[in-house]
Amino acid sequence: MVIDTDAFSHLFVLNRASRELSDRLVGRVPIIATQTRAELLAWPGLRSWGEARTERLHRILRSTLTVPVTDDVVNAYVELRVECTSRGHALGQKVHGADRWVAATAVALARPLIALDGIYAGAPRLSLL
């Protein structure tokens, strides 16, 4: 399954995951989009993290599969942008470009997305957990 940035941070970085969120991972291999990896790597600099906390994040990310931006991901991104915009779905808006990359990764891999953000609800071809 693909994990959105907020869900990943609650599960692995901040250790604030609810039991319900944690239970969704049972028997599944978590993977993240390149966008999620980039967002998480920016946090130490943006939030003035110390060395120990930054190294912990790097250790977590080293053990997490990150999906590269492939032609399939790019095509899924384009299709999501067009379809969501034409349907009036918020994921088509320019401000949600980062979320669209995460959704496109899940769509391209035909994997469900686990997310805390309601922006993904109702997006075409996107399966949510």
Side-chain angles (χ1 to χ4, degrees):
M1 94 176 75
V2 177
I3 304 180
D4 176 65
T5 307
D6 288 340
F8 188 88
S9 69
H10 277 76
L11 284 160
F12 300 106
V13 180
L14 303 174
N15 294 319
R16 286 193 234 162
S18 66
R19 177 82 175 166
E20 178 186 355
L21 185 59
S22 298
D23 286 349
R24 292 180 190 182
L25 288 179
V26 174
R28 299 178 187 266
V29 175
I31 57 177
I32 59 174
T34 300
Q35 176 68 35
T36 294
R37 185 179 193 86
E39 289 177 352
L40 291 168
L41 287 171
W43 284 10
L46 293 172
R47 299 174 180 189
S48 302
W49 284 8
E51 188 177 321
R53 191 172 187 191
T54 300
E55 178 50 36
R56 181 175 176 274
L57 172 64
H58 288 198
R59 193 171 47 255
I60 291 166
L61 289 175
R62 280 192 300 271
S63 67
T64 303
L65 177 63
T66 301
V67 178
V69 177
T70 63
D71 287 343
D72 289 342
V73 173
V74 171
N75 291 336
Y77 178 94
V78 170
E79 291 170 6
L80 278 169
R81 177 77 191 266
V82 171
E83 288 183 52
C84 287
T85 299
S86 68
R87 292 181 185 190
H89 189 284
L91 199 58
Q93 296 171 356
K94 186 176 182 177
V95 69
H96 295 297
D99 296 319
R100 202 166 35 254
W101 281 113
V102 174
T105 300
V107 168
L109 296 174
R111 297 282 188 256
L113 175 68
I114 184 169
L116 301 178
D117 191 342
I119 192 72
Y120 300 107
R125 294 183 318 284
L126 182 63
S127 171
L128 292 174
L129 286 180

